[in-house]
């Protein structure tokens, strides 16, 4: 189970990694999520936005422990 604190750390890494992409859509695609889900987590909606497996996958891609 991913805790809210862990989700916030992953979300912070997502925000920092965004600078490497020309658009939100390309960043979402690189993370393996849809643009609508990307938009919701970008706006702080972490509850039920992604499965635990998706959170873990994003954390691994971005090097969040």
């Amino acid at each position: 189970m991913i805790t809210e604190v862990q989700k916030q750390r992953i979300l912070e890494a997502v925000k920092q990694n965004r600078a490497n992409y020309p658009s939100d859509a390309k960043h979402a695609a690189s993370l393996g999520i849809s643009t609508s889900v990307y938009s919701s987590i970008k706006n702080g909606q972490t509850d039920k936005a992604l499965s635990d497996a998706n959170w873990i996958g994003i954390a691994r891609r971005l090097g969040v422990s």
Side-chain angles (χ1 to χ4, degrees):
M1 178 87 185
I2 300 284
T3 66
E4 189 60 33
V5 172
Q6 291 168 321
K7 288 178 183 178
Q8 291 303 321
R9 287 186 17 218
I10 296 167
L11 188 54
E12 195 56 41
V14 168
K15 288 178 182 177
Q16 290 176 359
N17 186 255
R18 169 60 179 88
N20 298 327
Y21 295 88
S23 70
D24 284 352
K26 290 189 188 257
H27 191 214
S30 76
L31 296 173
I33 58 176
S34 70
T35 53
S36 61
V37 170
Y38 179 84
S39 179
S40 356
I41 64 168
K42 184 177 164 187
N43 291 326
Q45 164 62 27
T46 58
D47 191 39
K48 299 183 182 177
L50 292 169
S51 69
D52 283 355
N54 282 345
W55 281 112
I56 292 168
I58 291 170
R60 286 183 179 157
R61 283 188 194 109
L62 300 179
V64 178
S65 58

PDB file of all heavy atoms in Angstrom, residues 36-65:
ATOM      1  N   SER A  36      -5.517  12.765 -19.063  1.00  0.00           N
ATOM      2  CA  SER A  36      -6.530  13.154 -18.067  1.00  0.00           C
ATOM      3  C   SER A  36      -6.076  12.776 -16.661  1.00  0.00           C
ATOM      4  O   SER A  36      -6.257  13.546 -15.712  1.00  0.00           O
ATOM      5  CB  SER A  36      -7.886  12.533 -18.389  1.00  0.00           C
ATOM      6  OG  SER A  36      -7.806  11.128 -18.377  1.00  0.00           O
ATOM      7  N   VAL A  37      -5.476  11.599 -16.506  1.00  0.00           N
ATOM      8  CA  VAL A  37      -4.961  11.177 -15.201  1.00  0.00           C
ATOM      9  C   VAL A  37      -3.788  12.068 -14.814  1.00  0.00           C
ATOM     10  O   VAL A  37      -3.667  12.499 -13.668  1.00  0.00           O
ATOM     11  CB  VAL A  37      -4.547   9.690 -15.215  1.00  0.00           C
ATOM     12  CG1 VAL A  37      -3.799   9.311 -13.951  1.00  0.00           C
ATOM     13  CG2 VAL A  37      -5.767   8.807 -15.399  1.00  0.00           C
ATOM     14  N   TYR A  38      -2.934  12.373 -15.779  1.00  0.00           N
ATOM     15  CA  TYR A  38      -1.788  13.256 -15.526  1.00  0.00           C
ATOM     16  C   TYR A  38      -2.271  14.613 -15.009  1.00  0.00           C
ATOM     17  O   TYR A  38      -1.743  15.143 -14.038  1.00  0.00           O
ATOM     18  CB  TYR A  38      -0.969  13.443 -16.812  1.00  0.00           C
ATOM     19  CG  TYR A  38       0.215  14.345 -16.639  1.00  0.00           C
ATOM     20  CD1 TYR A  38       1.422  13.856 -16.155  1.00  0.00           C
ATOM     21  CD2 TYR A  38       0.142  15.706 -16.944  1.00  0.00           C
ATOM     22  CE1 TYR A  38       2.520  14.687 -15.988  1.00  0.00           C
ATOM     23  CE2 TYR A  38       1.224  16.529 -16.780  1.00  0.00           C
ATOM     24  CZ  TYR A  38       2.410  16.018 -16.303  1.00  0.00           C
ATOM     25  OH  TYR A  38       3.497  16.840 -16.130  1.00  0.00           O
ATOM     26  N   SER A  39      -3.295  15.141 -15.642  1.00  0.00           N
ATOM     27  CA  SER A  39      -3.851  16.428 -15.234  1.00  0.00           C
ATOM     28  C   SER A  39      -4.383  16.372 -13.808  1.00  0.00           C
ATOM     29  O   SER A  39      -4.175  17.290 -13.019  1.00  0.00           O
ATOM     30  CB  SER A  39      -4.966  16.837 -16.202  1.00  0.00           C
ATOM     31  OG  SER A  39      -5.528  18.059 -15.815  1.00  0.00           O
ATOM     32  N   SER A  40      -5.075  15.258 -13.459  1.00  0.00           N
ATOM     33  CA  SER A  40      -5.611  15.167 -12.096  1.00  0.00           C
ATOM     34  C   SER A  40      -4.516  15.080 -11.050  1.00  0.00           C
ATOM     35  O   SER A  40      -4.604  15.737 -10.031  1.00  0.00           O
ATOM     36  CB  SER A  40      -6.530  13.999 -11.859  1.00  0.00           C
ATOM     37  OG  SER A  40      -6.842  13.227 -12.860  1.00  0.00           O
ATOM     38  N   ILE A  41      -3.472  14.288 -11.297  1.00  0.00           N
ATOM     39  CA  ILE A  41      -2.420  14.197 -10.279  1.00  0.00           C
ATOM     40  C   ILE A  41      -1.602  15.479 -10.218  1.00  0.00           C
ATOM     41  O   ILE A  41      -1.140  15.870  -9.161  1.00  0.00           O
ATOM     42  CB  ILE A  41      -1.515  12.947 -10.440  1.00  0.00           C
ATOM     43  CG1 ILE A  41      -0.722  12.972 -11.724  1.00  0.00           C
ATOM     44  CG2 ILE A  41      -2.319  11.682 -10.308  1.00  0.00           C
ATOM     45  CD1 ILE A  41       0.375  11.924 -11.786  1.00  0.00           C
ATOM     46  N   LYS A  42      -1.468  16.144 -11.366  1.00  0.00           N
ATOM     47  CA  LYS A  42      -0.752  17.425 -11.390  1.00  0.00           C
ATOM     48  C   LYS A  42      -1.486  18.467 -10.538  1.00  0.00           C
ATOM     49  O   LYS A  42      -0.868  19.310  -9.897  1.00  0.00           O
ATOM     50  CB  LYS A  42      -0.638  17.906 -12.836  1.00  0.00           C
ATOM     51  CG  LYS A  42       0.157  19.167 -13.015  1.00  0.00           C
ATOM     52  CD  LYS A  42       0.248  19.493 -14.489  1.00  0.00           C
ATOM     53  CE  LYS A  42       0.677  20.910 -14.700  1.00  0.00           C
ATOM     54  NZ  LYS A  42       0.609  21.304 -16.095  1.00  0.00           N
ATOM     55  N   ASN A  43      -2.801  18.364 -10.502  1.00  0.00           N
ATOM     56  CA  ASN A  43      -3.612  19.288  -9.706  1.00  0.00           C
ATOM     57  C   ASN A  43      -3.796  18.823  -8.265  1.00  0.00           C
ATOM     58  O   ASN A  43      -4.582  19.393  -7.527  1.00  0.00           O
ATOM     59  CB  ASN A  43      -4.975  19.503 -10.369  1.00  0.00           C
ATOM     60  CG  ASN A  43      -4.854  20.274 -11.668  1.00  0.00           C
ATOM     61  OD1 ASN A  43      -4.001  21.145 -11.792  1.00  0.00           O
ATOM     62  ND2 ASN A  43      -5.678  19.940 -12.633  1.00  0.00           N
ATOM     63  N   GLY A  44      -3.069  17.757  -7.872  1.00  0.00           N
ATOM     64  CA  GLY A  44      -3.087  17.323  -6.484  1.00  0.00           C
ATOM     65  C   GLY A  44      -4.040  16.201  -6.145  1.00  0.00           C
ATOM     66  O   GLY A  44      -4.111  15.778  -5.000  1.00  0.00           O
ATOM     67  N   GLN A  45      -4.779  15.695  -7.107  1.00  0.00           N
ATOM     68  CA  GLN A  45      -5.726  14.601  -6.857  1.00  0.00           C
ATOM     69  C   GLN A  45      -4.962  13.280  -6.889  1.00  0.00           C
ATOM     70  O   GLN A  45      -4.684  12.751  -7.945  1.00  0.00           O
ATOM     71  CB  GLN A  45      -6.823  14.621  -7.926  1.00  0.00           C
ATOM     72  CG  GLN A  45      -7.654  13.367  -8.055  1.00  0.00           C
ATOM     73  CD  GLN A  45      -8.444  13.009  -6.827  1.00  0.00           C
ATOM     74  OE1 GLN A  45      -8.789  13.862  -6.043  1.00  0.00           O
ATOM     75  NE2 GLN A  45      -8.702  11.747  -6.645  1.00  0.00           N
ATOM     76  N   THR A  46      -4.607  12.764  -5.707  1.00  0.00           N
ATOM     77  CA  THR A  46      -3.839  11.519  -5.653  1.00  0.00           C
ATOM     78  C   THR A  46      -4.698  10.322  -5.255  1.00  0.00           C
ATOM     79  O   THR A  46      -4.333   9.195  -5.540  1.00  0.00           O
ATOM     80  CB  THR A  46      -2.670  11.636  -4.658  1.00  0.00           C
ATOM     81  OG1 THR A  46      -3.191  11.971  -3.372  1.00  0.00           O
ATOM     82  CG2 THR A  46      -1.677  12.694  -5.099  1.00  0.00           C
ATOM     83  N   ASP A  47      -5.820  10.556  -4.615  1.00  0.00           N
ATOM     84  CA  ASP A  47      -6.669   9.466  -4.149  1.00  0.00           C
ATOM     85  C   ASP A  47      -7.395   8.811  -5.318  1.00  0.00           C
ATOM     86  O   ASP A  47      -8.159   9.462  -6.032  1.00  0.00           O
ATOM     87  CB  ASP A  47      -7.681   9.998  -3.123  1.00  0.00           C
ATOM     88  CG  ASP A  47      -8.409   8.881  -2.416  1.00  0.00           C
ATOM     89  OD1 ASP A  47      -7.756   7.869  -2.109  1.00  0.00           O
ATOM     90  OD2 ASP A  47      -9.617   9.030  -2.174  1.00  0.00           O
ATOM     91  N   LYS A  48      -7.117   7.531  -5.540  1.00  0.00           N
ATOM     92  CA  LYS A  48      -7.760   6.726  -6.583  1.00  0.00           C
ATOM     93  C   LYS A  48      -7.457   7.201  -8.006  1.00  0.00           C
ATOM     94  O   LYS A  48      -8.131   6.809  -8.943  1.00  0.00           O
ATOM     95  CB  LYS A  48      -9.267   6.652  -6.363  1.00  0.00           C
ATOM     96  CG  LYS A  48      -9.650   6.002  -5.056  1.00  0.00           C
ATOM     97  CD  LYS A  48     -11.141   5.889  -4.903  1.00  0.00           C
ATOM     98  CE  LYS A  48     -11.471   5.271  -3.553  1.00  0.00           C
ATOM     99  NZ  LYS A  48     -12.875   5.197  -3.294  1.00  0.00           N
ATOM    100  N   ALA A  49      -6.443   8.055  -8.167  1.00  0.00           N
ATOM    101  CA  ALA A  49      -6.077   8.505  -9.508  1.00  0.00           C
ATOM    102  C   ALA A  49      -5.304   7.412 -10.246  1.00  0.00           C
ATOM    103  O   ALA A  49      -5.514   7.194 -11.438  1.00  0.00           O
ATOM    104  CB  ALA A  49      -5.250   9.780  -9.439  1.00  0.00           C
ATOM    105  N   LEU A  50      -4.423   6.732  -9.526  1.00  0.00           N
ATOM    106  CA  LEU A  50      -3.594   5.677 -10.097  1.00  0.00           C
ATOM    107  C   LEU A  50      -3.583   4.473  -9.164  1.00  0.00           C
ATOM    108  O   LEU A  50      -3.748   4.629  -7.953  1.00  0.00           O
ATOM    109  CB  LEU A  50      -2.146   6.156 -10.259  1.00  0.00           C
ATOM    110  CG  LEU A  50      -1.857   7.240 -11.281  1.00  0.00           C
ATOM    111  CD1 LEU A  50      -0.447   7.763 -11.097  1.00  0.00           C
ATOM    112  CD2 LEU A  50      -2.032   6.715 -12.677  1.00  0.00           C
ATOM    113  N   SER A  51      -3.330   3.317  -9.731  1.00  0.00           N
ATOM    114  CA  SER A  51      -3.180   2.122  -8.897  1.00  0.00           C
ATOM    115  C   SER A  51      -1.822   2.177  -8.205  1.00  0.00           C
ATOM    116  O   SER A  51      -0.922   2.914  -8.624  1.00  0.00           O
ATOM    117  CB  SER A  51      -3.274   0.867  -9.762  1.00  0.00           C
ATOM    118  OG  SER A  51      -2.138   0.770 -10.608  1.00  0.00           O
ATOM    119  N   ASP A  52      -1.674   1.374  -7.163  1.00  0.00           N
ATOM    120  CA  ASP A  52      -0.386   1.312  -6.469  1.00  0.00           C
ATOM    121  C   ASP A  52       0.719   0.890  -7.435  1.00  0.00           C
ATOM    122  O   ASP A  52       1.837   1.394  -7.374  1.00  0.00           O
ATOM    123  CB  ASP A  52      -0.451   0.355  -5.282  1.00  0.00           C
ATOM    124  CG  ASP A  52      -1.168   0.956  -4.081  1.00  0.00           C
ATOM    125  OD1 ASP A  52      -1.531   2.156  -4.127  1.00  0.00           O
ATOM    126  OD2 ASP A  52      -1.357   0.232  -3.088  1.00  0.00           O
ATOM    127  N   ALA A  53       0.409  -0.027  -8.341  1.00  0.00           N
ATOM    128  CA  ALA A  53       1.404  -0.491  -9.310  1.00  0.00           C
ATOM    129  C   ALA A  53       1.864   0.662 -10.205  1.00  0.00           C
ATOM    130  O   ALA A  53       3.058   0.778 -10.516  1.00  0.00           O
ATOM    131  CB  ALA A  53       0.823  -1.619 -10.153  1.00  0.00           C
ATOM    132  N   ASN A  54       0.936   1.513 -10.617  1.00  0.00           N
ATOM    133  CA  ASN A  54       1.312   2.673 -11.443  1.00  0.00           C
ATOM    134  C   ASN A  54       2.168   3.652 -10.664  1.00  0.00           C
ATOM    135  O   ASN A  54       3.134   4.199 -11.196  1.00  0.00           O
ATOM    136  CB  ASN A  54       0.071   3.386 -11.990  1.00  0.00           C
ATOM    137  CG  ASN A  54      -0.536   2.668 -13.166  1.00  0.00           C
ATOM    138  OD1 ASN A  54       0.079   1.804 -13.767  1.00  0.00           O
ATOM    139  ND2 ASN A  54      -1.760   3.017 -13.487  1.00  0.00           N
ATOM    140  N   TRP A  55       1.807   3.909  -9.396  1.00  0.00           N
ATOM    141  CA  TRP A  55       2.619   4.807  -8.560  1.00  0.00           C
ATOM    142  C   TRP A  55       4.043   4.259  -8.448  1.00  0.00           C
ATOM    143  O   TRP A  55       5.018   5.004  -8.563  1.00  0.00           O
ATOM    144  CB  TRP A  55       2.009   4.955  -7.171  1.00  0.00           C
ATOM    145  CG  TRP A  55       0.851   5.898  -7.101  1.00  0.00           C
ATOM    146  CD1 TRP A  55      -0.449   5.578  -6.851  1.00  0.00           C
ATOM    147  CD2 TRP A  55       0.870   7.330  -7.253  1.00  0.00           C
ATOM    148  NE1 TRP A  55      -1.229   6.703  -6.849  1.00  0.00           N
ATOM    149  CE2 TRP A  55      -0.446   7.799  -7.092  1.00  0.00           C
ATOM    150  CE3 TRP A  55       1.885   8.249  -7.523  1.00  0.00           C
ATOM    151  CZ2 TRP A  55      -0.780   9.136  -7.184  1.00  0.00           C
ATOM    152  CZ3 TRP A  55       1.555   9.588  -7.610  1.00  0.00           C
ATOM    153  CH2 TRP A  55       0.236  10.026  -7.452  1.00  0.00           C
ATOM    154  N   ILE A  56       4.166   2.960  -8.216  1.00  0.00           N
ATOM    155  CA  ILE A  56       5.481   2.333  -8.065  1.00  0.00           C
ATOM    156  C   ILE A  56       6.258   2.415  -9.378  1.00  0.00           C
ATOM    157  O   ILE A  56       7.456   2.713  -9.387  1.00  0.00           O
ATOM    158  CB  ILE A  56       5.345   0.876  -7.580  1.00  0.00           C
ATOM    159  CG1 ILE A  56       4.806   0.870  -6.146  1.00  0.00           C
ATOM    160  CG2 ILE A  56       6.666   0.126  -7.669  1.00  0.00           C
ATOM    161  CD1 ILE A  56       4.361  -0.493  -5.651  1.00  0.00           C
ATOM    162  N   GLY A  57       5.585   2.180 -10.484  1.00  0.00           N
ATOM    163  CA  GLY A  57       6.240   2.267 -11.799  1.00  0.00           C
ATOM    164  C   GLY A  57       6.775   3.661 -12.071  1.00  0.00           C
ATOM    165  O   GLY A  57       7.906   3.823 -12.565  1.00  0.00           O
ATOM    166  N   ILE A  58       5.994   4.674 -11.752  1.00  0.00           N
ATOM    167  CA  ILE A  58       6.433   6.062 -11.956  1.00  0.00           C
ATOM    168  C   ILE A  58       7.603   6.369 -11.034  1.00  0.00           C
ATOM    169  O   ILE A  58       8.586   6.992 -11.439  1.00  0.00           O
ATOM    170  CB  ILE A  58       5.261   7.042 -11.734  1.00  0.00           C
ATOM    171  CG1 ILE A  58       4.231   6.880 -12.862  1.00  0.00           C
ATOM    172  CG2 ILE A  58       5.763   8.480 -11.671  1.00  0.00           C
ATOM    173  CD1 ILE A  58       2.930   7.612 -12.636  1.00  0.00           C
ATOM    174  N   ALA A  59       7.510   5.912  -9.788  1.00  0.00           N
ATOM    175  CA  ALA A  59       8.597   6.143  -8.824  1.00  0.00           C
ATOM    176  C   ALA A  59       9.895   5.522  -9.333  1.00  0.00           C
ATOM    177  O   ALA A  59      10.959   6.146  -9.247  1.00  0.00           O
ATOM    178  CB  ALA A  59       8.229   5.567  -7.468  1.00  0.00           C
ATOM    179  N   ARG A  60       9.817   4.332  -9.875  1.00  0.00           N
ATOM    180  CA  ARG A  60      11.024   3.674 -10.398  1.00  0.00           C
ATOM    181  C   ARG A  60      11.594   4.429 -11.586  1.00  0.00           C
ATOM    182  O   ARG A  60      12.806   4.599 -11.697  1.00  0.00           O
ATOM    183  CB  ARG A  60      10.706   2.234 -10.792  1.00  0.00           C
ATOM    184  CG  ARG A  60      10.547   1.339  -9.592  1.00  0.00           C
ATOM    185  CD  ARG A  60      10.296  -0.090 -10.021  1.00  0.00           C
ATOM    186  NE  ARG A  60      10.168  -0.941  -8.838  1.00  0.00           N
ATOM    187  CZ  ARG A  60       9.546  -2.099  -8.825  1.00  0.00           C
ATOM    188  NH1 ARG A  60       8.991  -2.564  -9.932  1.00  0.00           N
ATOM    189  NH2 ARG A  60       9.478  -2.803  -7.717  1.00  0.00           N
ATOM    190  N   ARG A  61      10.726   4.889 -12.501  1.00  0.00           N
ATOM    191  CA  ARG A  61      11.200   5.638 -13.662  1.00  0.00           C
ATOM    192  C   ARG A  61      11.914   6.919 -13.259  1.00  0.00           C
ATOM    193  O   ARG A  61      12.856   7.343 -13.921  1.00  0.00           O
ATOM    194  CB  ARG A  61      10.030   5.991 -14.578  1.00  0.00           C
ATOM    195  CG  ARG A  61       9.532   4.869 -15.414  1.00  0.00           C
ATOM    196  CD  ARG A  61       8.492   5.357 -16.427  1.00  0.00           C
ATOM    197  NE  ARG A  61       7.804   4.211 -16.985  1.00  0.00           N
ATOM    198  CZ  ARG A  61       6.538   3.891 -16.733  1.00  0.00           C
ATOM    199  NH1 ARG A  61       5.809   4.619 -15.955  1.00  0.00           N
ATOM    200  NH2 ARG A  61       6.014   2.817 -17.286  1.00  0.00           N
ATOM    201  N   LEU A  62      11.427   7.523 -12.183  1.00  0.00           N
ATOM    202  CA  LEU A  62      11.972   8.810 -11.763  1.00  0.00           C
ATOM    203  C   LEU A  62      13.016   8.691 -10.646  1.00  0.00           C
ATOM    204  O   LEU A  62      13.527   9.693 -10.165  1.00  0.00           O
ATOM    205  CB  LEU A  62      10.843   9.740 -11.327  1.00  0.00           C
ATOM    206  CG  LEU A  62       9.803  10.050 -12.408  1.00  0.00           C
ATOM    207  CD1 LEU A  62       8.714  10.952 -11.855  1.00  0.00           C
ATOM    208  CD2 LEU A  62      10.462  10.684 -13.630  1.00  0.00           C
ATOM    209  N   GLY A  63      13.292   7.467 -10.231  1.00  0.00           N
ATOM    210  CA  GLY A  63      14.315   7.256  -9.208  1.00  0.00           C
ATOM    211  C   GLY A  63      13.922   7.652  -7.802  1.00  0.00           C
ATOM    212  O   GLY A  63      14.767   8.016  -6.990  1.00  0.00           O
ATOM    213  N   VAL A  64      12.618   7.578  -7.495  1.00  0.00           N
ATOM    214  CA  VAL A  64      12.148   7.900  -6.142  1.00  0.00           C
ATOM    215  C   VAL A  64      12.176   6.623  -5.324  1.00  0.00           C
ATOM    216  O   VAL A  64      11.629   5.607  -5.739  1.00  0.00           O
ATOM    217  CB  VAL A  64      10.706   8.472  -6.176  1.00  0.00           C
ATOM    218  CG1 VAL A  64      10.195   8.751  -4.769  1.00  0.00           C
ATOM    219  CG2 VAL A  64      10.647   9.705  -7.040  1.00  0.00           C
ATOM    220  N   SER A  65      12.832   6.691  -4.162  1.00  0.00           N
ATOM    221  CA  SER A  65      12.922   5.471  -3.339  1.00  0.00           C
ATOM    222  C   SER A  65      11.739   5.364  -2.394  1.00  0.00           C
ATOM    223  O   SER A  65      11.072   6.338  -2.115  1.00  0.00           O
ATOM    224  CB  SER A  65      14.209   5.467  -2.543  1.00  0.00           C
ATOM    225  OG  SER A  65      14.276   6.606  -1.730  1.00  0.00           O
TER     226      SER A  65
END
